[in-house]
């Protein structure tokens, strides 16, 4: 069977119940495709085994790049390329360059991190999302299980989901 | 002894369920514009039109149309600039600093406050643009472009240039922060949309958001880091604006207290503007369960705190002027309180230092009418603060023969009206077409407030 096409979904209302249900489902040997919810559920990432995001590191690297570029730009422009006498002061000195350096550090760090987030999460204006249930953005949480990646048949998965207190259990097929 | 801490009051009242939150906020977007919205829009557009006439005339004729003279070379334009930048501080403060301090009451107001920030920063940026006379050249004169574009490299030693970087970075980061928060809510509207046009528009705006746990995990990480970046950024922006004055050698401007004093004043005026807008929105859009008296009280407490810091700064300036022993410095401050602009000084003192102290009385700080009136009083006071700092420090020059007064012309007032008209038009459009409260964040705090209270009862 093809993967990423045929899913079994369990629908829940309570975020704490979702965490418990996910633990139980994984405990019974079923692989969860993903959990979808209208707001972040705390603790679900650990249950699903997601590692901490590396975005803070990305933000730091972009920030460091901003600092270096800003300093190079200012020292090169006013110190090397075209030195100007302004009020009889040094052509280039560090203290007056700090504000612009700080601002460019923050700017590159923020834009770099958000850009990375958009790319790795595949967020773009022309993307049509795959919605497992239209109520995900309203008040329901969904645990999606890819049938092709599990050896159990639908009825078995269904009975496990029923045990966890799912309100509804549906099949969802994407063409 | 056993100590039982009292249960915190719920942040969202009225026993709302998660579906209620979606319904309450989205129906504002989906319904036809209300009568009060149409009226507000008509007034804003009228003000904008008058302002537009003044602006077009100014750009055509040049800034000689303003009431500036050779002694007072900076007046309303920079007063308005600093005033708007100050107002633009509350949004990022609420969403960034209060996020780091885990103040959950910010969640009902952060979306609108951030929108306000973005519009206020655009209003602020107009004034240096107009002052450059040729708006269309001003944008690239300020950028680090090679000499072949007509001038030498820009001067990185100048506080006015630091301003360019500070304001544009602040604008960009605030915009990104705001937009990231909007994506899940746009998805909510997209999934409820019934007609084709809103499906397409909100579909594009929501960037294909599907609510996956992995995306939420990254989203939270991004929000936290952006808050961490925006916190020093918001403090840096008004610090750098104050450098425009503090690095000069004009008595009355040349003081080291300016950066913290300006930042406190900015937060003060920003919260006052958030209060004004939110009290109207709460009333008109029926958000009484989301913006409760508790929220209003918390904002008022921040207003007393920052208002008192500003008051202490005013007194410190006087002490330092006296203690410095510099006659020019002493005269500048003596002239502020007793000279020809004494009335502006005392309006500032009354509105900023004395009237916010009324909020010490619990009855006043939990009263909606009093909060609304005082929030407007504070913003009048903060406008006069900038006017006093700028005009009274300039109008009595070093030579008594060049002493002068500043009288605004229609064009000074017109630019100000233009910015006000733009601000309210933009805010009304936001309030109609965007979710005014952060739906996803409010949903995440419902469980820890409403249901706990219910079980205790």
């Amino acid at each position: 069977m093809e993967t990423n096409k045929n899913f079994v979904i369990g629908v829940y209302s309570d975020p704490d119940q979702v965490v418990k249900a996910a633990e139980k489902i994984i405990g019974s040997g079923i692989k969860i495709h993903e959990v979808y919810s209208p707001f972040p559920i705390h603790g679900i990432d650990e249950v699903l085994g997601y590692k901490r995001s590396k975005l803070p590191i990305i933000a730091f690297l972009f920030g460091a790049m901003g600092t270096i570029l800003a300093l190079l730009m200012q020292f090169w422009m006013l110190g090397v390329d075209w030195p100007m006498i302004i009020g009889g002061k040094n052509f280039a000195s560090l203290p007056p360059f700090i504000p612009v350096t700080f601002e460019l550090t923050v700017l590159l760090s923020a834009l770099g991190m958000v850009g990375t987030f958009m790319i790795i999460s595949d967020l773009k204006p022309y993307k049509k999302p795959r919605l497992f249930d239209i109520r995900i953005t309203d008040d329901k949480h969904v645990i999606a299980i890819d049938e092709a990646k599990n050896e159990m048949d639908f009825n078995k998965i269904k009975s496990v989901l029923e045990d966890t207190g799912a309100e509804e259990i549906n099949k969802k097929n994407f063409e | 002894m056993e100590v039982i801490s009292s249960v915190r009051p719920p942040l969202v009242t009225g026993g709302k369920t998660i579906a209620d939150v979606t319904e309450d906020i989205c129906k504002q977007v989906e319904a036809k514009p209300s009568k009060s919205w149409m009226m507000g829009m008509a007034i804003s557009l009228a003000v904008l039109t008058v302002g537009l006439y003044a602006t077009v005339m100014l750009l055509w004729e040049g800034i000689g149309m303003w009431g500036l003279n050779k002694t007072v070379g900076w007046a309303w334009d920079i007063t308005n600039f600093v005033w708007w930048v100050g107002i633009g501080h509350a949004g990022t403060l609420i969403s960034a600093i209060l996020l780091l301090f885990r103040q959950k009451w910010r969640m009902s107001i952060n979306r609108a406050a951030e929108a306000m920030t973005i519009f206020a920063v655009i209003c602020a940026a107009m004034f240096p643009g107009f002052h450059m006379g040729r708006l269309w050249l001003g944008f690239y004169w300020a950028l680090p472009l090679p000499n072949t574009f007509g001038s030498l490299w820009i001067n990185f030693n100048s506080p006015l240039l630091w301003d360019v970087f500070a304001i544009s970075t602040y604008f960009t980061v605030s915009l990104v922060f705001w937009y990231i928060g909007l994506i899940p809510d746009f998805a909510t509207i997209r999934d409820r949309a019934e007609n084709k046009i809103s499906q397409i528009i909100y579909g594009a705006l929501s960037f294909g958001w599907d609510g996956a746990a992995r995306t939420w995990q990254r989203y939270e990480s991004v929000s936290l880091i952006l808050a961490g970046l925006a916190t020093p950024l918001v403090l840096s922006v008004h610090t750098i604006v104050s450098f425009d004055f503090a690095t000069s050698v004009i008595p009355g401007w040349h003081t080291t207290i300016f950066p913290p004093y300006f930042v406190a004043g900015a937060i003060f005026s920003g919260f006052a503007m958030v209060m004004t807008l939110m009290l109207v929105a709460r009333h008109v859009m029926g958000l009484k369960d989301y913006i409760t008296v508790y929220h209003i009280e918390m904002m008022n407490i921040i207003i007393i705190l920052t208002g008192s810091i500003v008051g202490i700064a005013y007194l410190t300036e006087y002490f330092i002027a006296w203690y410095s022993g510099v006659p020019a410095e002493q005269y500048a401050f003596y002239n502020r309180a007793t000279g020809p602009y004494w009335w502006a000084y005392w309006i500032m003192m009354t509105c900023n230092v004395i009237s916010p102290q009324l909020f010490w009385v619990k009855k006043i700080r939990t009263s909606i009418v009093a909060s609304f009136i005082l929030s407007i009083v504070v913003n009048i006071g903060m406008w006069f603060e900038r006017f006093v700092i700028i005009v009274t420090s300039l109008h009595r020059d070093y030579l008594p023969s060049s002493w002068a007064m500043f009288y605004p012309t229609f064009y000074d007032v017109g630019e100000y009206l233009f910015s006000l008209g733009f601000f309210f038009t933009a805010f009304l459009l936001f309030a109609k077409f965007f979710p005014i409260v952060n739906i996803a964040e409010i949903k995440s705090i419902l469980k820890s407030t409403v249901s706990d209270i219910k079980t205790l009862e």
Side-chain angles (χ1 to χ4, degrees), chain B residues 45-58 414-415 417-418:
Chain B
L45 285 174
V47 173
L48 186 69
T49 313
V50 176
L52 189 69
Y53 167 75
T55 308
V56 171
M57 285 300 284
L58 183 96
E415 304 311 305
L417 290 179
F418 181 70

Side-chain angles (χ1 to χ4, degrees), chain A residues 14 35 37 81-82 103 137-138, chain B residues 22 147 153 191 213 443 447:
Chain A
D14 187 318
V35 175
S37 50
D81 186 54
W82 197 304
E103 300 299 335
T137 53
D138 182 8
Chain B
T22 314
N147 302 356
W153 290 117
D191 294 346
K443 283 175 184 169
K447 174 134 189 178

Side-chain angles (χ1 to χ4, degrees), chain B residues 171-334:
Chain B
F171 176 74
T172 314
V173 174
S174 301
L175 187 71
V176 166
F177 201 177
W178 183 61
Y179 200 83
I180 291 285
L182 274 164
I183 290 175
D185 292 358
F186 280 141
T188 302
I189 300 175
R190 169 198 70 199
D191 294 346
R192 284 167 56 98
E194 276 164 10
N195 69 60
K196 197 87 195 136
I197 300 167
S198 22
Q199 274 170 0
I200 291 170
I201 293 174
Y202 290 108
L205 288 172
S206 64
F207 278 38
W209 179 269
D210 60 1
R214 197 185 282 276
T215 317
W216 272 122
Q217 185 205 23
R218 290 177 185 142
Y219 170 94
E220 288 214 293
S221 176
V222 166
S223 302
L224 200 62
I225 304 282
L226 275 180
L229 287 170
T231 300
L233 179 65
V234 72
L235 301 178
S236 84
V237 174
H238 230 56
T239 300
I240 291 176
V241 168
S242 83
F243 286 164
D244 291 351
F245 306 100
T247 57
S248 74
V249 288
I250 306 287
W253 289 2
H254 186 62
T255 55
T256 46
I257 199 179
F258 262 29
Y261 156 29
F262 268 51
V263 170
I267 295 165
F268 181 54
S269 65
F271 265 86
M273 189 58 106
V274 173
M275 181 74 89
T276 312
L277 294 174
M278 290 322 278
L279 286 176
V280 175
R282 174 180 192 267
H283 185 74
V284 174
M285 310 182 92
L287 298 172
K288 290 191 174 66
D289 288 323
Y290 298 93
I291 301 156
T292 61
V293 172
Y294 177 74
H295 290 94
I296 294 167
E297 193 181 351
M298 287 327 237
M299 287 199 273
N300 281 333
I301 289 173
I302 292 188
I303 290 177
I304 317 178
L305 174 73
T306 48
S308 305
I309 296 174
V310 167
I312 290 169
Y314 294 162
L315 299 179
T316 311
E317 278 192 310
Y318 272 82
F319 172 75
I320 295 296
W322 166 74
Y323 190 67
S324 71
V326 179
E329 193 73 27
Q330 286 170 345
Y331 178 74
F333 283 94
Y334 173 73

